[in-house]
């Protein structure tokens, strides 16, 4: 979502006549679009702000703006003062940035419910913003607000425009995309409609409580939907899931995964897991390891709990010591990687149709994606957006490696 917001901001600045540069010292204007979800994101932003402040004092950078979720948090007032930032914006009022860069008439164009941008070979399409959940640890509802769903016609209109303009891959975006609903329609209806209009479709991120079985089946049945599901579980312990206010039990999550595996046998599954949430015991952790084993994830984002000021979990007792968090983190990681590695091994020897996401780099390999959602390194000159066919020759825990491209097709 941040990448997409940054993309829109970049286009806005370019519309105002600015050119993009690669280094801060070459920039007149710097806009830091930020994440607030964990403290390490904020630490990194502080590092950048310190450097920018120095460059500004030296007269190299003229103006600095801070946008995104940090901008929407209370902490932004202190940051503004410490680093002498010119403009601080949250997540909803990006149009003010237009005025900042000299586009006073842009007010209407960049509100979240309106279309983003014309895209390249692949494009993000926001279908909802905000979140109506109140997970104990999560700052998102505070900084992004409550859920707003974009009307179906507006989404389809944007998708059709993008496809007509040459975009071949649409990713539907939202904090809880599967919670999308509008005038009696639900997410699966929208996904099906988009899958009729676009040649390749994916969506992220989903919430297990909203994930309908028919959506899981649609992933398997519809050729244009990438067979990859990202479904954050956070913990395998019912006790922790309750403390976190996730709204489901581990068993229900397991059942969803069973349906996904049955409906999409060649699909990939990824998740988010938090280790060391306040009160997490060894038994809770064991249950997470058990769930990880049962669900056989193809990949996972594992996070150490990070207290966010203003969330419930930040003031809960039962802080887990760092050394224990670190061990649990590594245990979950090891299990995920072992499993991902052995699942990826099964892909070796098979021929795949690969969508090129990033063109060839210095080492001669492009980065692509199979229909099953696996990342592949492949030797080809094909441009982003093109498809190639190649045989998978080897596999690591995170990526598959393909051989020469089959030019006979
Ligand atoms: N600490 C650690 N991880 C967090 N996440 C969200 N908030 C926190 C936090 N306070 C993780 C969740 C979520 C992902 C985007 O970030 O796993 O799914
Ligand atoms: Fe945060 Fe996701 Fe929970 Fe919403 S559903 S509060 S975005 S973790």
């Amino acid at each position: 979502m941040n990448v997409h917001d940054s993309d829109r901001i970049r286009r806005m600045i370019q519309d105002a006549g600015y050119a993009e540069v690669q280094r801060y010292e070459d920039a007149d204007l710097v806009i830091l679009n930020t994440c607030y979800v964990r403290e390490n994101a904020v630490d990194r932003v502080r590092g950048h702000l310190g450097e920018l402040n120095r460059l500004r004092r030296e007269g190299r950078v003229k103006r600095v703006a801070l946008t995104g979720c940090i901008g929407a948090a209370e902490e932004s007032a202190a940051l503004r003062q410490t680093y002498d930032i010119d403009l601080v914006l949250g997540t909803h009022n990006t149009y003010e940035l237009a005025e900042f860069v000299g586009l006073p008439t842009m007010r209407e164009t960049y509100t979240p419910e309106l279309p983003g941008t014309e895209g390249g070979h692949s494009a993000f399409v926001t279908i909802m913003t905000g979140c109506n959940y109140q997970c104990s640890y999560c700052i998102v509802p505070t900084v992004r607000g409550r859920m707003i769903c974009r009307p179906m016609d507006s989404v389809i209109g944007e998708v059709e425009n993008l496809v007509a303009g040459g975009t071949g891959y649409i990713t539907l975006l939202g904090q809880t995309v599967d919670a999308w609903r509008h005038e009696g329609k639900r997410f699966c209806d929208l996904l099906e409609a988009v899958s009729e209009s676009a040649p390749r479709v994916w969506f992220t991120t989903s919430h297990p409580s909203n994930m309908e079985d028919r959506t899981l089946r649609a992933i398997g049945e519809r050729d244009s939907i990438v067979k990859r599901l990202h479904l954050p579980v956070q913990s395998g312990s019912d006790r922790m899931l309750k403390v976190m206010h996730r709204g489901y039990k581990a068993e229900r999550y397991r059942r969803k995964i069973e349906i996904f595996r049955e409906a999409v046998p060649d699909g990939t599954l990824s998740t988010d897991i938090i280790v060391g949430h306040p009160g997490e015991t060894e038994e809770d952790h064991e249950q997470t390891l058990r769930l990880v084993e049962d669900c056989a994830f193809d990949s996972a984002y594992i996070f150490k709990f990070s207290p966010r000021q203003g969330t419930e979990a930040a003031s809960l007792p039962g802080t887990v010591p760092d050394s224990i968090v670190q061990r649990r983190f590594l245990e979950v990681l090891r299990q995920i990687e072992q499993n991902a590695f052995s699942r990826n091994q099964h892909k070796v020897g098979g021929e795949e149709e690969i969508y090129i996401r990033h063109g060839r780099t210095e080492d001669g390999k492009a980065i692509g994606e199979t229909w099953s959602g696996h990342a592949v390194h492949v030797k080809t000159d094909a441009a982003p957006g093109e498809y190639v066919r190649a045989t998978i020759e080897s596999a690591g825990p995170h990526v598959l490696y393909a051989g020469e491209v089959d030019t006979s097709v």
Side-chain angles (χ1 to χ4, degrees), residues 131-135 137-141 175-176 207 234 246:
C131 175
N132 282 356
Y133 287 90
Q134 285 289 335
C135 299
Y137 50 83
C138 185
I139 197 69
V140 167
Q175 303 296 342
T176 54
H207 191 290
Q234 314 298 358
R246 289 291 292 173

Side-chain angles (χ1 to χ4, degrees), residues 95-96 98-99 103-115:
Y95 59 85
E96 284 181 36
E99 292 172 19
L103 289 172
T105 56
M106 299 297 281
R107 177 169 282 263
E108 297 281 290
T109 314
Y110 292 95
T111 52
E113 65 276 23
L114 282 166

Side-chain angles (χ1 to χ4, degrees), residues 43-87:
D43 290 342
R44 287 214 301 275
V45 169
R46 278 201 199 92
H48 285 265
L49 285 171
E51 189 190 344
L52 286 168
N53 198 15
R54 182 178 59 79
L55 289 168
R56 239 178 55 143
R57 282 201 307 267
E58 291 171 6
R60 295 213 250 173
V61 169
K62 304 219 171 32
R63 291 193 303 165
V64 176
L66 178 83
T67 65
C69 291
I70 295 184
E74 280 177 20
E75 202 175 336
S76 65
L79 290 174
R80 180 178 203 152
Q81 238 185 354
T82 311
Y83 298 103
D84 199 15
I85 306 167
D86 297 293
L87 178 72

